[in-house]
Amino acid sequence: MTAIEGVLFDFSGTLLRIESAESWLRAALTASGTAMDEAEIVRSAAALERAGALPGGSSPVEIPADLAGLWEIRDRDARHHRALFTGLGRQVPLPEPELYDALYERSRTAEAWQPYPDAAEVLARLHRRGIRIGVLSNIGWDLRPVLRAHGLERYVDICVLSYEHGLQKPDPRLFALACRELGLDPAAVLMVGDDRTADGGATAVGCSFLPVDHLPVDRRPAGLRPVLDLVG
């Protein structure tokens, strides 16, 4: 078996987790100076979650027919990503039309994301071992400032973001590109992610794959530590 010399991590649900839909809505209301009744906040947050409007949150219970095409290509272009998620948000009536954009902007801030408890420790230990580290994400915006704000960017050698390349996982070309940027043969690279279809696609180019559970941060205190056992 080829020794692992590099690790690619997914972003959302793997290294960091998005806040709850209720926290997300409350922050957007504050940012826009909009008032809502407390009970309505709770109801609307639950409806936004069912609609799949929170990037990094739950998938839609039902995708509206007019957004189905965008859903399939949402991570290939920044405009697609914004249009899809603000469109999903608009399935839920809110008191001010600017709230849908305010919600999207909130989802791109460092404050909306929380690292998993072992993320910094695992990245730091891999970095000290001389392992090449990359973040490979299906996303529609630049996550580097979020990594930086949480003190994780210092350990990361490369970021490969789907919207910057017009490709999204599980397209083998995106994994191959990430391996080239790491400067490693795919056989020497481990992909770590919470989506067995999207992230597991790394095996098509010869990478190893380690799945992690997409759980709230307080329910997954050590989900990344098995990486340390797989990497010499």
Side-chain angles (χ1 to χ4, degrees):
M1 179 179 174
T2 304
I4 299 297
E5 300 175 53
V7 183
L8 291 168
F9 290 93
D10 173 51
F11 173 73
S12 173
T14 300
L15 287 176
L16 298 95
R17 171 81 182 217
I18 192 71
E19 65 189 331
S20 70
E22 188 174 323
S23 170
W24 177 56
L25 177 57
R26 290 181 186 279
L29 290 168
T30 299
S32 66
T34 306
M36 281 181 74
D37 174 81
E38 181 65 23
E40 189 59 29
I41 290 174
V42 174
R43 285 194 296 271
S44 296
L48 286 165
E49 186 166 11
R50 289 193 300 273
L54 175 59
S58 303
S59 295
V61 171
E62 183 177 352
I63 301 171
D66 61 331
L67 295 176
L70 265 183
W71 175 261
E72 296 301 323
I73 59 171
R74 63 193 180 279
D75 297 314
R76 297 183 199 172
D77 182 274
R79 292 167 300 175
H80 295 340
H81 196 270
R82 177 184 284 272
L84 183 278
F85 284 101
T86 55
L88 290 171
R90 289 188 180 93
Q91 308 304 304
V92 179
L94 294 176
E96 299 294 340
E98 62 266 24
L99 275 171
Y100 303 106
D101 281 315
L103 285 166
Y104 187 79
E105 291 305 322
R106 169 67 184 184
S107 73
R108 306 199 306 171
T109 65
E111 293 78 16
W113 294 88
Q114 185 176 358
Y116 280 92
D118 57 345
E121 173 200 352
V122 169
L123 291 178
R125 289 176 66 179
L126 292 173
H127 182 73
R128 286 196 297 270
R129 293 181 191 180
I131 300 299
R132 295 276 292 164
I133 298 171
V135 173
L136 173 55
S137 178
N138 278 354
I139 199 164
W141 49 272
D142 187 2
L143 56 76
R144 296 173 185 90
V146 175
L147 294 176
R148 189 178 309 125
H150 288 290
L152 302 179
E153 190 187 44
R154 71 188 78 173
Y155 307 119
V156 176
D157 297 296
I158 66 151
C159 284
V160 174
L161 311 181
S162 60
Y163 81 99
E164 293 182 338
H165 301 281
L167 300 169
Q168 62 190 47
K169 297 178 288 185
D171 192 319
R173 294 174 293 176
L174 199 60
F175 296 108
L177 186 155
C179 291
R180 287 197 300 273
E181 291 205 12
L182 285 176
L184 296 171
D185 186 278
V189 175
L190 172 67
M191 177 73 211
V192 182
D194 66 302
D195 189 320
R196 284 164 172 77
T197 299
D199 300 314
T203 59
V205 298
C207 298
S208 304
F209 173 56
L210 176 68
V212 294
D213 293 324
H214 185 94
L215 293 170
V217 291
D218 59 348
R219 291 176 54 200
R220 210 194 77 192
L224 294 171
R225 287 185 188 155
V227 175
L228 299 173
D229 297 326
L230 295 173
V231 178

